[in-house]
Amino acid sequence: MVENKIIFTGPVGVGKTTAIAALSDDPPIQTDASASDMTAVRKGYTTVAMDYGLIQLDENTKVHLYGTPGQERFDFMWDILSQGSMGLILLLDNTRANPLKDLKFFLDSFADLLKTAPVVIGVTKMDIRAVPGIDVYQKYLSQHGLVAPIFEVDARNEEDVKQLVTAMLFQIDPGLEV
């Protein structure tokens, strides 16, 4: 049995839980609790430990999907969940005050994982706020010596989320046929 693991991360309310639900074969396991801090302004419930979903590719291949909590106070879970991961999907919310600051924060926070695993970036809510555009994110990465695929995504859309996973798989194995 081949077991793979992908981590979804990003700030609170970006769509990590929703993205996992869009892909998972079964409803994902969620560890939500009532938001009790400034998160309550963005949403009523928030992930406090992880989200978990599973994709059974064939009888011998599984992909485990883990979503991290978005709040920094739960960052101890980030390292735990990252262990053994084949890659990171970073979701960014284009409606937040400074999504480029979020990009830097999460890339720095997952720097150890990114030494051995690829990252793919999905920018959500661009239909609500189109600025910054994908080109601005690409320029930021380039200025910092980083290369990663970046996509505009709707975390509710299964095809958009599949595109992120496919891009990650192509980084791991460019000759992959999907």
Side-chain angles (χ1 to χ4, degrees):
M1 176 72 65
V2 177
E3 307 264 341
N4 301 293
K5 180 179 183 181
I6 297 174
I7 303 298
F8 287 74
T9 197
V12 170
V14 73
K16 299 177 295 289
T17 302
T18 303
I20 289 172
L23 284 185
S24 184
D25 291 341
D26 296 312
I29 297 169
Q30 301 174 5
T31 59
D32 287 351
S34 293
S36 60
D37 56 10
M38 63 186 173
T39 300
V41 173
R42 295 187 71 80
K43 61 188 211 171
Y45 289 88
T46 190
T47 302
V48 294
M50 68 176 176
D51 294 314
Y52 172 76
L54 177 69
I55 304 170
Q56 183 83 40
L57 296 179
D58 58 40
E59 63 184 37
N60 295 315
T61 310
K62 291 181 181 180
V63 179
H64 301 273
L65 310 170
Y66 288 89
T68 69
Q71 296 176 8
E72 189 175 352
R73 66 182 169 146
F74 298 118
D75 65 352
F76 63 92
M77 287 300 300
W78 301 351
D79 290 333
I80 293 168
L81 294 173
S82 292
Q83 293 175 16
S85 177
M86 65 188 290
L88 181 72
I89 294 178
L90 170 56
L91 297 177
L92 298 169
D93 179 345
N94 223 41
T95 65
R96 285 180 47 98
N98 191 342
L100 290 174
K101 183 177 177 183
D102 292 337
L103 174 61
K104 179 181 180 351
F105 174 78
F106 282 96
L107 290 175
D108 289 348
S109 296
F110 286 88
D112 286 344
L113 174 62
L114 298 179
K115 290 176 186 173
T116 60
V119 62
V120 174
I121 301 165
V123 183
T124 66
K125 303 180 185 175
M126 290 191 75
D127 57 326
I128 299 169
R129 183 171 169 221
V131 176
I134 296 297
D135 60 323
V136 174
Y137 289 101
Q138 289 171 330
K139 183 177 179 183
Y140 176 90
L141 289 174
S142 178
Q143 289 172 339
H144 292 86
L146 301 169
V147 176
I150 305 172
F151 301 93
E152 176 181 347
V153 297
D154 180 336
R156 300 167 294 189
N157 184 304
E158 180 181 2
E159 292 306 313
D160 283 6
V161 182
K162 280 183 181 178
Q163 181 180 33
L164 296 172
V165 173
T166 300
M168 175 180 296
L169 294 174
F170 277 122
Q171 285 188 84
I172 294 168
D173 183 358
L176 189 69
E177 293 182 28
V178 287

